[in-house]
Amino acid sequence: MFHELRFAIRTLLKSPTFTLVAVLTLALGIGANTAIFSVVNSVLLHALPYPQAGRMVLVLENAKGFGEMATAYPNFLDWAAQNKVFESQAVIREDSFTLTGVGEPEHIRAIKASAGIFSTIRARPSMGRAFLRDDDRRGAGGVVILTDGLWKRRFGADPSVIGRSLRLDQKPYTVIGVMPSGFRMPMMACDLLIPVGLDADMGRWSHYLTSVARLKPGVSMAQAHSNLDGISQTLQRQYPDSNGGWSLQVQSLQGYINDQVGTALLVLLGAVGLVLLIACANIANLLLARATTRRREFAIRAALGASRSRVVRQMLTESVLLALIGGGIGLLVASWGIDFLVSLKPADFPLAETIHLDSSMLLFTLAVSIATGLIFGITPAFESWRLNLNESLKEGGRTAGTCSRHALRKALVVCEIALSLVLSIGAGLLIKSFINVTKVHPGFRVENVLTMELTLPKAAYSDDIKTAAFYDRLLENAKHLPGINAAGAASNLPLSNMNWETGFYIEGQPKPARASDLQYAEASVVAGDYFQAMGMRLVRGRFFSGKDQRDTPKVMIIDENLAAKYWPNQDPVGKRLFIIGGSLREVVGVVGHIKYTGLDRDTRVEVFTPFTQMPYRDMYLTFRTSADPAAMSAAISNAVHALDKDLALYDVRTMQQLVSRSLSMRRFSVLLLVIFAGLALLLAAVGIYGVMAYSVAQRSHEMGIRMALGARAADVRGLVVRQAMRLAFIGVVIGLSTAFALTRVMSSLLFGVTATDPPVFTGISVLLVVVALLASYVPARRATRVDPIVALRYE
Amino acid sequence: MTNGSTPLIHLEAVTKVFVTDEVETHALAGIHMDIAKGEYVSIAGPSGCGKSTLLAILGLLDTPSDGTYILNGKAVSGLKMHERARIRNREIGFIFQAFNLIGDLTVYENVELPLTYRGTPGSERKKLVHEALEKVGMSHRVKHYPSQLSGGQQQRVAVARALVGSPSVLLADEPTGNLDSANGDAVMDLMRELHRNGATIVMVTHDPRYARFADRGIHLFDGRIVDEKVEAV
Ligand SMILES: Nc1ncnc2c1ncn2[C@@H]1O[C@H](COP(=O)(O)OP(=O)(O)O)[C@@H](O)[C@H]1O
Ligand SMILES: [Mg+2]
């Protein structure tokens, strides 16, 4: 083995160009794989850094005909008390506050959690104590647990922080603990934890919490499911009004995370794997070409009594060594690639900030390198075996052209073409989807809109009057700022990851007996000139106006889809709807439908209620500006602080940014797949070039004969190009049928295009043929420069 | 010159100088030569005297360094690449010592090759290929590959390929050099037969037995014609 290694090193050093090309190709292939795999590793395999995370589940409430919904707190209390399958369970919810009492006011992210969260995720504070059952009591004293980050940032890592008080939205809280560094909550990011029970909404209609639970050891998902099913049936009987038609569902937490990003990541992993395979095919080709020139060496070895298996071993040692060097440099490529991936990180990508190279990555790279070395080494190794057998036969009569050995190299190139076609078709489908998504009209005018979030603290704005008065004045002042054309606000913005659903039914129809029979709509409360600021279309009736006040008749605006669904041939203006948990409201206007949850999603029908009749403390301010919206943020911030200097504005974004952010996951996968497809095409082009150049060199004698017989340059060029085209054609046919079978796995990533979209399939095939044409053109030109006299001279 | 008409091939003061590594090789040093239509000329001389170079120039595979070459009444020294290819294809038939058949092509396809470069339609190609193979006695082997044939058979196929397009002249460079004497004799008989039927042949050969078949023998030495004698037919 040592002997083989030494000889392998010497061989590689002897042909530095070959070694360099091979190592770089491998470094690129292996590096890209390591980078993508590290993302998959951290997102899919290590998304849940908790002991025995496999036992962690999500409990979802499920309404018939409506799908998964969040948990209502009283339901949680019931199933938590009654179930026999969970060791521990908790509800959590993301929230945000303005932190005061420790320096500058700051907007911070909080997670409200019930006391069970610590045993469910098996994490404890490193200092102080966790929440107790008692902290969940309504009316208990406010307590907080800081994350390590916030503790260091705002409290200077003060070791005596326990017992200190701080204010969240002006309410006093006491610090009772600090979580260790590296702690994170499943699926959500936060700066601190507060108990969820303190101000829990006790209505069974309010589905606003996420439930996490830990299965008892040995309990299966099926058992958990049937236990919870029994409980939900009891709840249905007990509370038919709110719980009728609702059931409970258990989903593994890991499975849930996989569903969120899994397909995209697995497609990328598959894609980058294909790139590596193509790289392997390329290097196998290089090695095969070299094996031909090393025939003499093998023959001599055989003559000296080397067994064939020894020669094969020598070849494999060389290729694995090559792959290991490639893998080593690949690690550098990977660490650079990971930085690149993180810089592209889509907004909602879970936990991407934790991606880094670790020991499991080293193992992965090592394994991939060895496997790669074996894959690309095996063909040439056995080729060398065959060469030995045939050695004596090779000195036959002189006729030009030998096709048998060459067939293997051609087969490799055909594979490369097929694989890069598959990859490029995948990329093509994603690009087309992306273009389709960007062409979707969101229902509002995206340009020149500035948005930001504003949260009024409960203490200072304790009632609706104060809240309404503040926003009234703010919007009135802002409207007159130079550069602002319209000023409005909404409880939730489209494409902002925040949406409310509300159940409703139409006046005159009987109230549905069960909650699951309700219709649901996207709901928002809007203030000022929100519709004008967003540039939404008025289809019928009117926008809200000064006429709609607290004490005037309750009104609402609906979208055209709701109108079309319930009053297809009538004027909806003047009709009335009953909003669950609200009141009967009269439709005064119909606006164009807007895309709430994403340009690529079907959105429910929409209802809008006037802020004056339903004031709300946390609003997204929305401004239409006459010029660059980003430039207006300072002026608006001043206007806010002129009214209340303690308020913190946050998430200042243009609508353009929100739209772009909503596309970031899609952009991420498109970009990566395009990069991989480009890489694959490049490698395939290099492969075609290599094989054709080699073939031209091998066939120079034949070219000479043809020229002597009167072949013109164009005939000779055509000969080479046709040969390349034949390979390309076979590759394309194989690639197309593979793509037909494979692109199906990515259908969930596609938008407005089928997985077998004919234009993409044909377009990419043509592209590949063009690439093959270009790659074969240089060798083809070289073939025409063959001097027939030189080629035909018989020595 | 055996008759008064314009010669098929007229060479005047043709020289060929190869320059390699600053060494000049005067492969041909002023060749004057006329070959009439229907003539059978043999070229002999020691190795390295310029026989193959002369044949390459006659066959438009190479250009003379100086001098004039008139083929069929047309000066061909200064032609462009594609015109030379066209003339090679229509006027010249090559027969090489090493046969130079294309291994990946069948006998039929090898013989067909010059016709495809000429754009002859398929049906006519088929007729011509079969006629040519008939002439060399190889029509029973059309589907074979060269590696499946003996040396003599390969050379007969090469002859068929050379004459399939009815070129003005057949150029043969030591066509029997790779053959045993029996096969060599057969190929030479074939050449004689072709000549009898009117073919113009220029053949390089060492073998005095075969040289005798020719109408005229030319002796080259150091790139010059040193002796020229007309055989008694
Ligand atoms: N392409 C070339 N470059 C340099 N020298 C050449 C070349 N072709 C032929 N020669 C030289 O020209 C001379 C004549 O060669 P050639 O015509 O092949 O001789 P022959 O066929 O009579 O043996 C030789 O000295 C040979 O070395
Ligand atoms: Mg010679």
Side-chain angles (χ1 to χ4, degrees):
Chain A
M1 192 65 213
F2 183 67
H3 164 82
E4 269 124 14
L5 194 61
R6 228 180 34 200
F7 188 79
I9 292 170
R10 226 173 337 129
T11 316
L12 293 185
L13 287 179
K14 233 169 33 191
S15 38
T17 318
F18 160 79
T19 308
L20 192 72
V21 169
V23 163
L24 286 184
T25 308
L26 283 169
L28 222 58
I30 296 176
N33 270 271
T34 305
I36 290 291
F37 185 75
S38 63
V39 174
V40 172
N41 182 51
S42 79
V43 173
L44 295 187
L45 309 180
H46 289 126
L48 302 171
Y50 312 109
Q52 286 156 7
R55 278 162 47 200
M56 293 172 67
V57 296
L58 285 177
V59 179
L60 301 161
E61 298 199 3
N62 199 321
K64 202 169 68 202
F66 187 64
E68 291 160 5
M69 288 275 277
T71 304
Y73 193 55
N75 290 346
F76 164 70
L77 293 178
D78 284 336
W79 61 253
Q82 292 169 30
N83 85 78
K84 299 193 164 35
V85 289
F86 299 137
E87 177 179 288
S88 164
Q89 57 273 308
V91 280
I92 52 179
R93 145 161 225 236
E94 278 178 301
D95 206 343
S96 63
F97 295 94
T98 307
L99 169 68
T100 47
V102 273
E104 287 287 292
E106 183 191 346
H107 178 252
I108 51 147
R109 298 164 301 172
I111 286 181
K112 291 178 166 172
S114 63
I117 192 67
F118 298 94
S119 47
T120 305
I121 66 175
R122 297 227 176 132
R124 311 284 316 163
S126 54
M127 215 176 15
R129 65 169 177 89
F131 296 149
L132 303 173
R133 274 284 188 78
D134 239 20
D135 296 314
D136 276 351
R137 237 179 347 105
R138 280 152 77 78
V143 292
V144 301
I145 295 176
L146 308 176
T147 57
D148 183 69
L150 188 71
W151 175 56
K152 286 183 174 143
R153 183 155 53 81
R154 296 307 299 258
F155 297 88
D158 178 5
S160 57
V161 72
I162 308 296
R164 267 189 71 169
S165 62
L166 51 82
R167 298 178 86 80
L168 297 176
D169 285 359
Q170 307 297 358
K171 271 173 62 180
Y173 286 82
T174 309
V175 176
I176 59 163
V178 178
M179 294 308 286
S181 79
F183 157 82
R184 59 179 201 241
M185 287 292 257
M187 303 172 291
M188 301 171 183
C190 68
D191 300 307
L192 53 75
L193 304 173
I194 64 174
V196 75
L198 283 179
D199 56 353
D201 183 336
M202 297 305 285
R204 285 183 195 270
W205 295 95
S206 300
H207 297 273
Y208 73 107
L209 298 166
T210 303
S211 303
V212 204
R214 179 178 284 272
L215 293 170
K216 285 180 181 166
V219 171
S220 70
M221 293 290 284
Q223 285 167 317
H225 198 86
S226 82
N227 184 229
L228 287 187
D229 209 42
I231 295 171
S232 74
Q233 286 182 15
T234 316
L235 291 176
Q236 287 197 43
R237 278 192 300 276
Q238 274 179 303
Y239 311 102
D241 245 26
S242 57
N243 288 41
W246 287 88
S247 60
L248 290 170
Q249 268 191 346
V250 190
Q251 187 182 9
S252 94
L253 197 48
Q254 182 69 60
Y256 174 79
I257 288 169
N258 291 0
D259 284 354
Q260 301 293 300
V261 287
T263 314
L265 279 186
L266 291 178
V267 164
L268 288 178
L269 191 63
V272 80
L274 288 186
V275 171
L276 187 58
L277 265 185
I278 295 170
C280 283
N282 253 352
I283 294 167
N285 248 336
L286 283 175
L287 283 176
L288 274 176
R290 245 162 47 106
T292 316
T293 60
R294 285 174 71 189
R295 265 191 314 177
R296 257 178 77 77
E297 176 201 325
F298 297 131
I300 293 167
R301 281 168 177 274
L304 295 179
S307 67
R308 287 173 188 164
S309 62
R310 237 196 124 118
V311 173
V312 168
R313 209 160 70 212
Q314 177 64 49
M315 292 289 286
L316 287 181
T317 307
E318 281 175 37
S319 56
V320 171
L321 178 67
L322 207 54
L324 286 176
I325 299 171
I329 299 175
L331 277 180
L332 293 180
V333 175
S335 75
W336 172 82
I338 289 169
D339 287 349
F340 177 66
L341 289 177
V342 170
S343 76
L344 292 178
K345 178 177 87 91
D348 310 320
F349 210 72
L351 318 167
E353 63 269 24
T354 63
I355 297 169
H356 56 275
L357 281 172
D358 58 15
S359 56
S360 66
M361 280 303 91
L362 291 179
L363 272 178
F364 172 83
T365 310
L366 186 69
V368 165
S369 303
I370 292 176
T372 303
L374 291 177
I375 291 173
F376 72 72
I378 205 86
T379 327
F382 279 92
E383 188 56 22
S384 69
W385 177 311
R386 234 159 51 88
L387 276 175
N388 272 328
L389 277 176
N390 293 342
E391 197 60 44
S392 54
L393 304 173
K394 283 287 179 243
E395 309 308 329
R398 175 115 190 213
T399 37
T402 45
C403 53
S404 75
R405 180 170 345 110
H406 207 56
L408 200 54
R409 308 195 62 207
K410 288 180 185 166
L412 284 171
V413 164
V414 164
C415 290
E416 285 184 44
I417 293 170
L419 291 178
S420 44
L421 182 77
V422 172
L423 213 50
S424 306
I425 284 178
L429 290 173
L430 280 190
I431 291 174
K432 191 160 176 186
S433 302
F434 189 78
I435 293 171
N436 286 344
V437 172
T438 56
K439 277 201 237 151
V440 169
H441 194 275
F444 52 89
R445 294 205 335 264
V446 174
E447 70 292 345
N448 287 350
V449 179
L450 183 68
T451 74
M452 62 202 70
E453 239 179 301
L454 183 57
T455 306
L456 302 186
K458 214 175 191 172
Y461 297 86
S462 52
D463 60 35
D464 287 357
I465 311 276
K466 284 182 187 158
T467 305
F470 172 83
Y471 280 109
D472 259 3
R473 284 189 56 194
L474 175 62
L475 295 179
E476 190 55 32
N477 293 350
K479 189 157 84 179
H480 295 111
L481 288 175
I484 300 283
N485 294 347
S491 57
N492 40 332
L493 277 185
L495 309 180
S496 68
N497 272 338
M498 245 293 269
N499 62 320
W500 287 357
E501 282 127 15
T502 188
F504 69 93
Y505 63 92
I506 291 160
E507 187 193 29
Q509 293 181 353
K511 177 180 181 185
R514 303 188 315 174
S516 59
D517 294 337
L518 283 172
Q519 305 297 328
Y520 285 85
E522 296 286 343
S524 31
V525 171
V526 302
D529 296 328
Y530 172 74
F531 296 111
Q532 292 90 332
M534 290 290 283
M536 286 168 68
R537 196 160 41 87
L538 183 66
V539 178
R540 297 194 88 96
R542 63 172 174 88
F543 289 139
F544 296 134
S545 72
K547 284 195 298 196
D548 307 308
Q549 289 303 325
R550 255 179 101 70
D551 39 15
T552 59
K554 302 277 186 246
V555 293
M556 71 185 317
I557 288 174
I558 60 174
D559 78 329
E560 56 194 343
N561 289 6
L562 196 155
K565 190 163 171 197
Y566 296 100
W567 298 287
N569 298 311
Q570 303 170 49
D571 186 354
V573 173
K575 299 281 196 276
R576 295 201 293 183
L577 289 180
F578 194 87
I579 304 286
I580 299 303
S583 49
L584 197 58
R585 290 182 173 271
E586 183 182 326
V587 176
V588 295
V590 178
V591 293
H593 178 75
I594 60 178
K595 289 285 181 183
Y596 242 104
T597 41
L599 294 177
D600 51 358
R601 307 234 181 101
D602 287 330
T603 314
R604 263 185 273 282
V605 297
E606 289 146 5
V607 299
F608 303 88
T609 43
F611 178 78
T612 45
Q613 297 180 350
M614 211 188 221
Y616 191 66
R617 274 195 305 274
D618 304 344
M619 297 289 278
Y620 290 90
L621 304 178
T622 311
F623 303 98
R624 176 154 298 274
T625 62
S626 43
D628 177 20
M632 291 305 298
S633 64
I636 290 162
S637 174
N638 288 341
V640 169
H641 289 136
L643 294 179
D644 184 341
K645 63 175 172 27
D646 282 339
L647 296 178
L649 277 172
Y650 53 97
D651 284 352
V652 181
R653 293 201 180 91
T654 66
M655 206 63 218
Q656 211 102 43
Q657 286 170 325
L658 278 178
V659 169
S660 160
R661 205 180 67 137
S662 78
L663 296 175
S664 55
M665 183 67 206
R666 203 171 263 289
R667 193 178 302 114
F668 179 73
S669 10
V670 169
L671 187 62
L672 284 187
L673 210 54
V674 166
I675 289 175
F676 296 153
L679 216 53
L681 280 179
L682 185 71
L683 288 174
V686 169
I688 295 166
Y689 170 83
V691 160
M692 294 322 295
Y694 179 79
S695 154
V696 163
Q698 292 272 300
R699 292 173 75 186
S700 66
H701 182 65
E702 177 192 333
M703 299 303 173
I705 299 172
R706 288 175 181 271
M707 285 166 130
L709 298 180
R712 286 153 305 172
D715 293 316
V716 172
R717 248 191 333 259
L719 195 70
V720 177
V721 169
R722 257 201 312 281
Q723 189 189 1
M725 287 298 102
R726 215 160 25 236
L727 297 183
F729 181 74
I730 301 172
V732 164
V733 167
I734 296 174
L736 278 178
S737 33
T738 315
F740 254 109
L742 275 187
T743 50
R744 212 156 313 195
V745 302
M746 56 191 292
S747 1
S748 70
L749 303 178
L750 302 181
F751 181 81
V753 53
T754 62
T756 55
D757 184 56
V760 168
F761 272 59
T762 24
I764 300 289
S765 305
V766 169
L767 174 70
L768 230 98
V769 169
V770 169
V771 166
L773 202 66
L774 293 178
S776 64
Y777 195 72
V778 175
R781 292 255 325 239
R782 193 172 309 149
T784 64
R785 291 200 208 101
V786 166
D787 183 348
I789 316 174
V790 175
L792 295 176
R793 179 169 301 129
Y794 185 66
E795 310 294 353
Chain B
M1 235 185 291
T2 51
N3 56 35
S5 66
T6 41
L8 178 66
I9 288 170
H10 173 73
L11 293 187
E12 202 174 302
V14 164
T15 63
K16 182 70 188 178
V17 185
F18 293 109
V19 185
T20 41
D21 300 333
E22 286 160 37
V23 179
E24 284 192 3
T25 311
H26 291 260
L28 295 178
I31 302 284
H32 299 268
M33 188 166 84
D34 281 333
I35 295 171
K37 197 166 156 40
E39 227 185 336
Y40 186 168
V41 176
S42 84
I43 300 175
S47 177
C49 69
K51 305 183 294 292
S52 296
T53 305
L54 177 57
L55 227 58
I57 286 174
L58 289 178
L60 274 75
L61 283 176
D62 210 347
T63 46
S65 304
D66 205 355
T68 316
Y69 175 14
I70 292 172
L71 175 64
N72 248 345
K74 190 175 175 200
V76 292
S77 322
L79 292 180
K80 293 211 186 72
M81 282 287 279
H82 70 272
E83 289 166 327
R84 293 157 62 79
R86 210 183 85 92
I87 292 175
R88 272 203 301 276
N89 181 254
R90 291 177 182 258
E91 312 279 357
I92 315 285
F94 280 106
I95 301 159
F96 304 94
Q97 175 178 358
F99 323 143
N100 282 333
L101 297 178
I102 294 174
D104 290 344
L105 302 182
T106 61
V107 164
Y108 180 91
E109 290 163 338
N110 264 290
V111 176
E112 189 187 27
L113 218 47
L115 299 178
T116 59
Y117 293 135
R118 195 180 289 193
T120 312
S123 57
E124 194 183 339
R125 280 208 307 265
K126 194 166 169 184
K127 186 175 129 254
L128 291 175
V129 170
H130 279 291
E131 275 173 17
L133 284 170
E134 197 76 49
K135 276 186 200 154
V136 302
M138 288 298 295
S139 47
H140 57 301
R141 291 279 193 270
V142 286
K143 293 230 166 69
H144 285 59
Y145 283 91
S147 56
Q148 298 167 313
L149 302 177
S150 75
Q153 288 174 319
Q154 287 191 46
Q155 193 59 303
R156 294 208 321 254
V157 173
V159 172
R161 184 176 67 183
L163 58 86
V164 69
S166 321
S168 305
V169 59
L170 291 180
L171 302 176
D173 194 348
E174 301 187 42
T176 58
N178 278 14
L179 300 176
D180 58 33
S181 62
N183 273 313
D185 288 351
V187 168
M188 276 307 159
D189 287 345
L190 182 60
M191 301 294 276
R192 212 146 60 131
E193 175 85 18
L194 293 173
H195 173 235
R196 230 177 264 133
N197 291 332
T200 311
I201 298 174
V202 181
M203 177 175 73
V204 170
T205 180
H206 286 304
D207 196 324
R209 285 185 302 135
Y210 300 145
R212 247 185 289 120
F213 292 150
D215 299 332
R216 182 149 61 108
I218 292 177
H219 270 267
L220 279 187
F221 189 79
D222 261 0
R224 282 170 219 281
I225 296 176
V226 291
D227 188 18
E228 206 171 338
K229 62 168 164 270
V230 181
E231 297 286 335
V233 185

